[in-house]
Amino acid sequence: MPPQTAHRFPTHTLALVSNPEVVDEARRRRTFAIISHPDAGKTTLTEKFLLYGGAIAEAGSVKARQGRRSATSDWMELEQKRGISITSTALQFDYRGQVLNLLDTPGHRDFSEDTYRVLAATDAAIMVLDGSKGIEAQTLKLFEVCRQRNVPLLTFINKYDRPGLAPLELLDDIESHLNIRTTPATWPVGIPGDFRGVVDRLNNQFVKFDRTARGSTEAPELLIPAADVDPFEHDGWADAAEELELLDATEADVDVKSFLAGESTPVFFGSALTNFGVRLLLESIVDLAPAPAPRIDVNEEPRAVDAPFSAFAFKVQANMDPSHRDRIAVVRVCSGVFERGMTVTHARTGKPFATKYAHTLFGSERETVDLAYPGDVVGLVNAGDVRVGDTLYESEPVEYPRIPSFAPELFRKIRTTDTGRFKQFRKGLVQLDEEGVIQVLRDEDTGDVEPVLAAVGQMQFEVATHRLENEFGAPVALSPAPFSVARRTDAESAAEIRRLPGAKVMERSDGVLLALFENEYYLRRIESEKDHLTLLAVLVD
Ligand code: G4P
């Protein structure tokens, strides 16, 4: 096992406080997510994190667990069939005395709104790229979501054990596509496909890797001070040394301030499959990613991490597993201590909420959680009333800002093809709407009979119809709705917009009025001809 170093980068401080236990626990936590294009290696890397964190004895068990999970959960059937990840999971493991919370994000861009919600609950993210492909379409979309939230981002260039792009080329690719400064924390030695190790730039050390069988155990590492490396003994060293000089000259060093501001990204090279570079990445999460900080409430006041318990829901999901037909709210603890069994207040309704059943979440597998601290994620069962974005608190009231919704771009009319199942159809729509799977829009005239579904990605429709049919037994038919752009409006403007040809006003379940237009061109004309109308581009809740 390589030596465990002290913090490699300056650590973060929290304000002076009155509850040292909570502050200590918060300081030990790092809550982060991984974003990537499907197949870049997110699952493999996650598994290797668990291996290094000692949470699993041998790599390979995560995939086995996933197989089991899908087999016992019929609503994940769709996920399995399409080979995409729709559901998010939260994993907790220890590393170097710290507690790491890893929140999974859906890999497909059609679910980027879910990713946005997960990112509202994380303090940092890792972007995993395939070293032979660089930035791919879905990485770009997910990165944009990160940028909207200013999430500090680490980059892991994966699959370096295979032929791929040269490192400088990859940096160029990231900078030109994402407009973010790259600051390599490690630099590869050897070419992609003949990867010998990396230089840890902070310690000026050559970390030479050795393979294990498919990386089932930690990669053996030999650490050599860069100054002592014999270039004739290590293939690829001379080229790496030259490139490192270039990096030093351009001052491309890891810079904590701009990283925390989301302006630069420390870059790591490696191979999740063979475990190369995984340890250095994990250490940097501990050292670079921020610990949970006071969260800003709706009055723009920070709630100290050691204030009484508070949390917000970033995901709500019903019927995840047919053997537990219930609704789970996944919450991130923002302040105080969560103790299972405590009664908290649901800020939106003012009602008490009992937390007898609280779980950690690993897909649909559940383990009871008794205590949780800021940064931790808890799944609360029987969360009938809780919606995405809702706040829960104990004693001192607080409410956190709602998570903004994306402006929908795709619209479909929906109706049930079996009128005998209308009740189930309606119930299912309410459920999917409250979970944030899809937005349900209603019209003054047609109401519940033929509402319109609004989405950001096509696959949201597939999930909605699949779940309505399989969970609620309501067969449905979708038909085109002639809109492609939505704006938020108010009651006063709505009356006038309703009279315009080719425009419609519909109501979202939270009472927000949306004006729908056939196309951008028509909308722009209305905006310029009738500038007294309220037409807001951002659909914030
Ligand atoms: P994802 O969650 O981002 O979708 O990707 P995942 O980890 O499932 O990895 C996708 C494929 O890439 C897998 O191969 C995986 O083994 C492979 N892979 C991941 N990391 C590396 C790496 O560092 N080097 C190489 N060479 N391959 C890597 P698969 O054939 O789809 O699955 P499997 O049969 O290998 O399990």
Side-chain angles (χ1 to χ4, degrees):
M1 176 111 177
Q4 305 271 295
T5 49
H7 276 211
R8 294 154 24 94
F9 297 93
T11 49
H12 314 282
T13 49
L14 296 166
L16 281 181
V17 280
S18 58
N19 189 337
E21 183 214 333
V22 180
V23 171
D24 266 1
E25 290 293 343
R27 203 174 267 152
R28 288 176 60 212
R29 272 149 174 89
R30 298 292 180 273
T31 301
F32 65 103
I34 301 182
I35 58 165
S36 68
H37 189 90
D39 265 358
K42 188 170 67 169
T43 313
T44 312
L45 186 63
T46 302
E47 183 175 80
K48 298 312 167 73
F49 281 170
L50 295 181
L51 176 73
Y52 276 71
I56 53 174
E58 228 179 74
S61 40
V62 172
K63 284 216 163 148
R65 272 176 96 155
Q66 280 192 335
R68 217 165 56 224
R69 186 186 68 184
S70 309
T72 56
S73 160
D74 72 358
W75 102 254
M76 287 181 202
E77 205 186 303
L78 181 71
E79 176 172 88
Q80 224 185 3
K81 233 170 21 199
R82 301 292 302 254
I84 52 162
S85 159
I86 297 170
T87 51
S88 303
T89 56
L91 302 170
Q92 188 177 68
F93 58 99
D94 293 338
Y95 188 72
R96 249 178 55 188
Q98 310 284 322
V99 180
L100 273 58
N101 291 308
L102 168 54
L103 310 193
D104 194 8
T105 53
H108 199 281
R109 68 173 157 205
D110 279 10
F111 302 107
S112 50
E113 188 159 7
D114 291 287
T115 301
Y116 184 80
R117 296 184 193 126
V118 174
L119 291 175
T122 67
D123 298 318
I126 301 176
M127 173 170 74
V128 178
L129 303 181
D130 181 330
S132 66
K133 300 192 170 136
I135 300 289
E136 295 175 80
Q138 291 177 32
T139 342
L140 189 60
K141 181 87 186 177
L142 295 169
F143 170 78
E144 280 163 9
V145 176
C146 269
R147 174 154 281 170
Q148 282 174 35
R149 296 211 67 91
N150 282 334
V151 178
L153 190 72
L154 300 161
T155 300
F156 184 69
I157 297 183
N158 191 28
K159 304 199 183 181
Y160 233 67
D161 57 305
R162 287 199 321 201
L165 303 169
L168 285 170
E169 214 177 319
L170 281 159
L171 298 190
D172 260 3
D173 189 53
I174 300 169
E175 297 208 347
S176 62
H177 278 99
L178 309 185
N179 193 19
I180 188 169
R181 198 154 59 85
T182 54
T183 55
T186 68
W187 195 254
V189 178
I191 53 167
D194 187 18
F195 185 35
R196 301 303 172 100
V198 293
V199 174
D200 172 359
R201 291 186 69 218
L202 190 78
N203 292 323
N204 211 10
Q205 217 169 31
F206 175 31
V207 183
K208 188 177 176 306
F209 301 129
D210 271 323
R211 267 172 199 275
T212 65
R214 267 184 80 89
S216 62
T217 54
E218 290 184 27
E221 293 179 0
L222 180 67
L223 308 180
I224 314 169
D228 299 346
V229 176
D230 178 353
F232 298 106
E233 213 180 290
H234 300 281
D235 284 345
W237 179 263
D239 288 340
E242 208 172 288
E243 287 159 351
L244 282 163
E245 267 178 39
L246 190 76
L247 292 181
D248 290 343
T250 53
E251 296 184 356
D253 299 339
V254 172
D255 170 39
V256 178
K257 198 162 158 243
S258 60
F259 158 70
L260 292 177
E263 291 160 6
S264 72
T265 178
V267 179
F268 299 80
F269 291 83
S271 153
L273 189 69
T274 51
N275 302 347
F276 293 0
V278 171
R279 176 184 65 85
L280 285 165
L281 178 63
L282 259 179
E283 295 203 346
S284 297
I285 294 165
V286 169
D287 296 342
L288 280 169
R295 195 162 187 97
I296 309 296
D297 69 12
V298 284
N299 301 317
E300 302 203 357
E301 298 286 338
R303 172 126 165 156
V305 288
D306 62 336
F309 168 79
S310 69
F312 73 94
F314 62 95
K315 181 181 167 71
V316 171
Q317 199 162 343
N319 311 330
M320 255 170 97
D321 185 334
S323 58
H324 305 270
R325 283 226 175 253
D326 51 28
R327 177 149 144 175
I328 295 186
V330 185
V331 304
R332 175 196 155 121
V333 179
C334 300
S335 65
V337 186
F338 170 82
E339 287 176 69
R340 187 168 64 85
M342 76 200 295
T343 300
V344 298
T345 305
H346 177 208
R348 189 170 49 78
T349 58
K351 286 190 193 155
F353 182 96
T355 62
K356 189 166 166 211
Y357 300 103
H359 299 282
T360 53
L361 297 160
F362 187 104
S364 64
E365 287 189 16
R366 304 172 181 184
E367 273 168 41
T368 301
V369 61
D370 289 313
L371 273 183
Y373 294 95
D376 289 347
V377 168
V378 179
L380 298 173
V381 186
N382 297 335
D385 276 348
V386 180
R387 295 185 196 161
V388 169
D390 283 1
T391 304
L392 301 170
Y393 65 83
E394 196 207 11
S395 64
E396 269 173 45
V398 66
E399 191 160 2
Y400 295 110
R402 299 198 61 76
I403 305 173
S405 301
F406 279 24
E409 290 160 19
L410 303 170
F411 304 86
R412 298 280 182 280
K413 290 184 199 160
I414 186 165
R415 64 185 171 84
T416 176
T417 50
D418 180 351
T419 43
R421 306 293 295 172
F422 186 68
K423 224 172 94 191
Q424 288 78 0
F425 169 69
R426 210 161 57 179
K427 193 166 156 224
L429 281 181
V430 170
Q431 175 64 42
L432 298 179
D433 196 2
E434 288 184 1
E435 282 184 34
V437 170
I438 201 125
Q439 294 180 27
V440 181
L441 312 180
R442 290 183 177 79
D443 174 338
E444 276 184 335
D445 308 325
T446 49
D448 271 348
V449 179
E450 196 173 54
V452 166
L453 299 186
V456 178
Q458 171 66 32
M459 236 185 280
Q460 285 176 259
F461 294 128
E462 287 182 39
V463 173
T465 50
H466 181 88
R467 289 188 59 188
L468 283 168
E469 286 173 5
N470 290 280
E471 270 168 42
F472 297 91
V476 293
L478 295 180
S479 56
F483 313 112
S484 67
V485 53
R487 289 287 183 268
R488 186 178 175 151
T489 189
D490 55 25
E492 209 172 275
S493 299
E496 191 175 338
I497 297 168
R498 281 198 176 96
R499 290 195 294 272
L500 295 171
K504 202 169 182 90
V505 177
M506 300 193 88
E507 188 173 341
R508 225 162 55 176
S509 54
D510 57 2
V512 167
L513 290 177
L514 294 187
L516 308 181
F517 300 91
E518 271 171 31
N519 54 49
E520 281 280 349
Y521 170 76
Y522 182 56
L523 168 65
R524 273 203 298 274
R525 217 181 76 204
I526 301 291
E527 277 173 331
S528 68
E529 284 173 11
K530 299 178 184 295
D531 61 0
H532 58 283
L533 292 176
T534 305
L535 292 168
L536 303 172
V538 188
L539 304 175
V540 184
D541 278 327

